[in-house]
Amino acid sequence: MEAEDLRVLIVQPDLAWEDIDYNLNHIEKLIEGADSGFNVILLPEMFSTGFTGNATALAEPVNGKTMQCVKRWASRFSSLVMGSFIAVDGERYYNRGFAVEPDGTTRFYDKRHLFFGTEKKHFTAGESKLIFNYKGWNISLVVCYDLRFPVWIRNRQLEYDVLFCVAEWPVSRQNVLETLTMARAIENQCYTFMCNRVGSDSNFLKYIGGSQAVDFNGKLIDRLDDGKEEARIITIQKYPLLSNREKAPVWQDAEAFEFRSLGV
């Protein structure tokens, strides 16, 4: 199947602290106000609550309010929607990434690398990667802190074409975030999209966004404005990626080892 262009609407919002109803309504308005023609919607990490460890009060099942809303957006806007939310499964809580297609097909990814402190204390780490095909593109989804760990993200056999990272990364480490986004794109010979938020939260952390797309050579394609709420479309095409991989098949020289979990 010939790949369609991916027209990714990156949504860079300011989020209300632990207010699911407000955030869902607010983000829907940002999507409605964007230019038309996108076929992917990318949201930040914990987009419906802000980055909080208050899992017992805010966690939802996979058929809860947040995911019902996401499925409605996917259908209404005929787009793949990705982000993460606080999920409960039995007695465990997860920072759960999701990828929902317009027909309702839903895939989940539980954040593998939990940030030290509150997240590691209250959440359970995931054990499985997520790679799937959409419109002729192989896509991988990771969440925020995962971006620091190249072995987990490693694309040795070119399993994926685009890496999407949903994040809530504070301004104090903004340079780290943008450097890692570029590095993951180069070493994995893939397009890389990173979506971050703006504003501040009740943990006294500030965010400037800097959401962006980087190509397979680490070249910046486009970057959203610092400190500004916006929803912007960034388009990528398959041919330049395939041409690059053919002309510079560096992936063939990667070491042939596999990731093996030692337990969580």
Side-chain angles (χ1 to χ4, degrees):
M1 180 179 67
E2 185 175 351
E4 296 183 30
D5 291 354
L6 281 188
R7 300 180 298 277
V8 182
L9 181 71
I10 298 185
V11 181
Q12 179 173 280
D14 191 354
L15 300 175
W17 183 250
E18 298 186 350
D19 191 334
I20 294 174
D21 289 333
Y22 174 87
N23 290 322
L24 294 177
N25 290 330
H26 182 59
I27 287 175
E28 184 162 0
K29 291 177 182 177
L30 290 175
I31 298 171
E32 290 172 339
D35 292 336
S36 61
F38 51 86
N39 53 27
V40 178
I41 299 172
L42 188 63
L43 307 172
E45 177 185 25
M46 290 192 186
F47 78 98
S48 58
T49 59
F51 187 76
T52 172
N54 191 10
T56 54
L58 297 168
E60 302 176 65
V62 294
N63 59 352
K65 181 184 297 184
T66 292
M67 289 307 302
Q68 288 180 22
C69 189
V70 167
K71 289 182 178 181
R72 179 169 56 81
W73 292 343
S75 175
R76 176 185 173 189
F77 298 107
S78 298
S79 295
L80 172 70
V81 185
M82 291 180 286
S84 88
F85 75 110
I86 301 175
V88 60
D89 190 343
E91 297 182 354
R92 294 186 174 186
Y93 302 105
Y94 297 90
N95 185 342
R96 180 158 287 174
F98 57 82
V100 180
E101 296 187 30
D103 65 0
T105 298
T106 302
R107 301 175 178 88
F108 293 110
Y109 165 78
D110 293 328
K111 185 177 182 181
R112 170 67 182 176
H113 299 92
L114 303 177
F115 198 64
F116 44 84
T118 301
E119 187 178 31
K120 187 168 286 188
K121 180 179 179 181
H122 296 289
F123 292 80
T124 298
E127 297 183 333
S128 300
K129 299 179 182 182
L130 176 62
I131 299 174
F132 63 98
N133 189 275
Y134 176 71
K135 292 188 177 298
W137 295 78
N138 290 325
I139 289 171
S140 183
L141 174 66
V142 295
V143 179
C144 203
Y145 191 45
D146 285 327
L147 202 61
R148 280 187 176 266
F149 301 94
V151 174
W152 179 247
I153 296 174
R154 194 164 179 264
N155 193 22
R156 189 175 69 86
Q157 295 296 323
L158 302 184
E159 293 93 348
Y160 60 84
D161 306 309
V162 192
L163 176 68
F164 287 96
C165 178
V166 299
E168 276 202 45
W169 203 293
V171 65
S172 59
R173 297 185 290 276
Q174 185 72 20
N175 179 65
V176 174
L177 172 62
E178 298 193 35
T179 300
L180 291 173
T181 300
M182 184 185 301
R184 298 296 86 85
I186 294 170
E187 69 196 12
N188 293 304
Q189 272 187 296
C190 67
Y191 289 106
T192 300
F193 283 78
M194 177 273 292
C195 182
N196 196 19
R197 64 164 292 186
V198 297
S200 59
D201 63 25
S202 290
N203 289 321
F204 306 105
L205 295 174
K206 295 182 178 180
Y207 307 84
I208 64 166
S211 304
Q212 59 191 256
V214 177
D215 77 4
F216 36 82
N217 285 318
K219 181 180 179 181
L220 183 68
I221 300 172
D222 200 359
R223 182 182 186 278
L224 277 64
D225 296 336
D226 286 349
K228 179 182 177 182
E229 277 196 312
E230 61 176 313
R232 185 185 302 181
I233 298 173
I234 301 176
T235 301
I236 57 172
Q237 298 175 323
K238 191 73 169 291
Y239 174 75
L241 171 66
L242 298 179
S243 177
N244 173 267
R245 288 173 169 179
E246 181 179 359
K247 293 177 180 178
V250 296
W251 58 274
Q252 295 179 356
D253 295 323
E255 288 77 13
F257 65 85
E258 296 181 357
F259 178 86
R260 183 173 62 190
S261 175
L262 298 179
V264 294

